[in-house]
Amino acid sequence: MQQVQQQPHETATSFVNIAAYKFITFNDTAEKRPVFLEFCQQHKLRGTVILSPEGINLFLAGKRADIDAFLTWLRADARFADIQVKESFSEHQPFNRMLVKLKAEIITMKHPLIKPEEGRAPFVEAKTLKRWLDQGHDDNGKPVVMVDTRNAFEVDVGTFENTIDYRIEKFTEFPQVIADHKDELNDKTVVTFCTGGIRCEKAAIHMQNIGYDSVYQLEGGILKYFEEVGGAHYQGDCFVFDYRTALNPQLQETQTEQCFACRAVVTPREQLSPAYVPGKSCPHCAPELAAAAPASQPNASATA
């Protein structure tokens, strides 16, 4: 039996990295933006908080006492009293500044009729999903199909074995592509997944709305799966939108490579570029090839 590998232990010098979201009516975002920013700055937190009429989405890092103070403060608002948080640890601050943004959606899908707070799609927890994948079917005997709702460059860093990957470039493409493939998935149990749960939650609700009758979201996304069961049935690492770039199933930052030609550090994402040829070149020293590389890493934007 595969053993679950433990994530790194917190140390006195660790930065605590948290990811969280919640769909909830949040009509006072403009008033709350400076309040959030001031509190986070006072506690030396960095990262991104997105405030939207449909809820909150955040990725933050700081010392344990400051993270705990933030969560106590956030949960004092009844709307966020039960917000669930995923944690990992790093020995350096993975964000370079603190941002609080106002947006129309906490994850852009351009389907405003989807309101997860009015009822969630069914979800499957990590341990149950592992059992389904171990046995090759769900508890009703239906074959299980994994559908990745992330962008293509994220999938290339790592994903579940035998997953369906529609090579989308942005999440707004998902509603149409999943509608186009409905007939071929109708006799299967579909499990949508993403980094932290937010995209797959919206995706599963949309799929229910267009007639899928056996669809689940992976509760907490890949990061929660790593935390609870390790890397079983998963290949590679998980891309994250901060300067760690990717985490392995032990929730450890992945190692970067150094270009032999120019000695520049090459992140796992940059290694996807056609300009990266081990021992010869990388996007930093082969600009004529770098034009075909994935866009430069976002500046610590929160997503999931």
Side-chain angles (χ1 to χ4, degrees), residues 26-275:
F26 194 3
N27 292 326
D28 54 341
T29 57
E31 294 84 353
K32 289 294 187 180
R33 180 180 179 274
V35 179
F36 269 82
L37 185 59
E38 180 181 5
F39 188 93
C40 291
Q41 290 176 335
Q42 286 179 348
H43 287 268
K44 298 181 174 61
L45 301 179
R46 295 182 187 177
T48 301
V49 177
I50 295 175
L51 308 179
S52 161
E54 70 176 12
I56 189 171
N57 186 19
L58 62 89
F59 278 76
L60 292 174
K63 295 299 184 177
R64 167 57 70 186
D66 296 309
I67 288 292
D68 287 349
F70 172 80
L71 291 174
T72 298
W73 174 80
L74 178 65
R75 287 169 173 155
D77 185 325
R79 294 171 293 189
F80 307 113
D82 60 349
I83 193 168
Q84 299 297 306
V85 174
K86 293 168 285 293
E87 285 192 358
S88 60
F89 308 108
S90 61
E91 292 305 311
H92 63 276
Q93 170 60 262
F95 300 100
N96 68 356
R97 56 180 173 166
M98 184 65 231
L99 299 172
V100 180
K101 300 180 178 180
L102 302 181
K103 291 192 173 182
E105 299 176 72
I106 54 176
I107 184 68
T108 302
M109 193 179 191
K110 296 185 178 178
H111 275 252
L113 294 180
I114 295 177
K115 297 180 179 179
E117 70 169 283
E118 295 182 358
R120 298 186 64 190
F123 62 84
V124 57
E125 295 182 345
K127 292 178 181 179
T128 300
L129 176 61
K130 179 183 179 299
R131 178 166 55 80
W132 286 0
L133 296 176
D134 286 344
Q135 65 194 24
H137 54 79
D138 68 9
D139 293 335
N140 295 316
K142 294 183 67 173
V144 175
V145 174
M146 303 294 293
V147 172
D148 204 323
T149 66
R150 299 173 300 157
N151 298 337
F153 74 84
E154 298 172 74
V155 180
D156 290 339
V157 175
T159 191
F160 282 94
E161 297 168 354
N162 303 315
T163 196
I164 294 177
D165 166 27
Y166 291 117
R167 310 308 295 167
I168 62 175
E169 296 300 321
K170 52 188 177 181
F171 189 50
T172 53
E173 297 173 9
F174 183 83
Q176 185 60 56
V177 75
I178 202 66
D180 292 343
H181 292 85
K182 181 174 179 294
D183 290 345
E184 63 199 59
L185 297 175
N186 262 346
D187 60 343
K188 300 175 176 64
T189 288
V190 180
V191 178
T192 63
F193 68 93
C194 58
T195 308
I198 184 170
R199 281 178 282 187
C200 52
E201 180 163 354
K202 268 198 168 184
I205 291 173
H206 172 73
M207 291 170 69
Q208 282 191 318
N209 288 348
I210 64 173
Y212 280 82
D213 60 7
S214 184
V215 59
Y216 297 83
Q217 59 164 313
L218 173 57
E219 178 77 343
I222 298 167
L223 296 181
K224 192 66 174 177
Y225 186 91
F226 282 176
E227 180 182 334
E228 295 192 353
V229 302
H233 302 286
Y234 193 94
Q235 296 180 330
D237 303 315
C238 179
F239 181 87
V240 291
F241 284 86
D242 61 50
Y243 288 98
R244 294 173 296 174
T245 305
L247 301 180
N248 63 23
Q250 295 76 51
L251 294 174
Q252 298 167 326
E253 180 179 352
T254 58
Q255 296 297 311
T256 57
E257 299 289 342
Q258 191 173 40
C259 176
F260 181 83
C262 72
R263 315 307 296 175
V265 172
V266 185
T267 68
R269 186 175 177 186
E270 289 171 330
Q271 292 167 36
L272 302 176
S273 167

